[in-house]
Amino acid sequence: MNDDEANKLKAIKQEHGLENVVFTGMVKNSDINRYYAASDVIVFPDISKSIGFPTVVAESMAMGKAIIMGIKGYEKATPIQHLETGIIIEPRNAEQIKYWLGMLREDEELRIKLGKNARKYTEEHMSWDKQA
């Protein structure tokens, strides 16, 4: 993310009083666990250009977190299934991110369901013994 994009996000955060929202950018591996532990929802604005399935998404699933993921082109190839193991949106669509964050804030049952389903999927399909 460049400085202009970061400044726009900071302005939006300030304008809407989003003190509990953190835009992390890149996080050192040694710090990831505490960010996951502090999070209820993990947002991946756009993984469309990722090569393969990003490890960070698998980690978020294994942690049982609700996921909002922007993707276009290989939605059916990801274990994130809309409203089952996460939320799929159009890549980089700020309005959809805002909408779904609001929904997940208001609907704790849905947020918990998505996290539990994502965790269950990783246990049943993505563990080392299943992969081997």
Side-chain angles (χ1 to χ4, degrees), residues 27-36:
V27 174
K28 295 188 302 185
N29 285 343
S30 60
D31 293 337
I32 289 174
N33 288 343
R34 71 185 171 95
Y35 280 96
Y36 280 134

Side-chain angles (χ1 to χ4, degrees), residues 21-108:
V21 173
V22 177
F23 299 106
T24 64
M26 294 296 290
V27 174
K28 295 188 302 185
N29 285 343
S30 60
D31 293 337
I32 289 174
N33 288 343
R34 71 185 171 95
Y35 280 96
Y36 280 134
S39 301
D40 294 319
V41 178
I42 310 292
V43 179
F44 301 99
D46 187 359
I47 68 157
S48 297
K49 294 182 175 122
S50 297
I51 299 172
F53 185 69
T55 303
V56 69
V57 177
E59 290 170 347
S60 299
M61 292 176 71
M63 292 290 295
K65 301 299 179 177
I67 295 169
I68 299 173
M69 183 172 73
I71 186 171
K72 183 170 175 95
Y74 62 102
E75 295 85 345
K76 294 193 190 292
T78 176
I80 300 296
Q81 299 301 307
H82 189 65
L83 295 177
E84 288 301 318
T85 53
I87 306 286
I88 294 180
I89 61 167
E90 296 171 11
R92 299 177 182 256
N93 187 315
E95 287 302 314
Q96 288 181 0
I97 293 171
K98 177 182 170 184
Y99 172 80
W100 285 109
L101 282 173
M103 286 292 286
L104 294 174
R105 181 186 66 221
E106 297 298 320
D107 191 342
E108 182 179 14

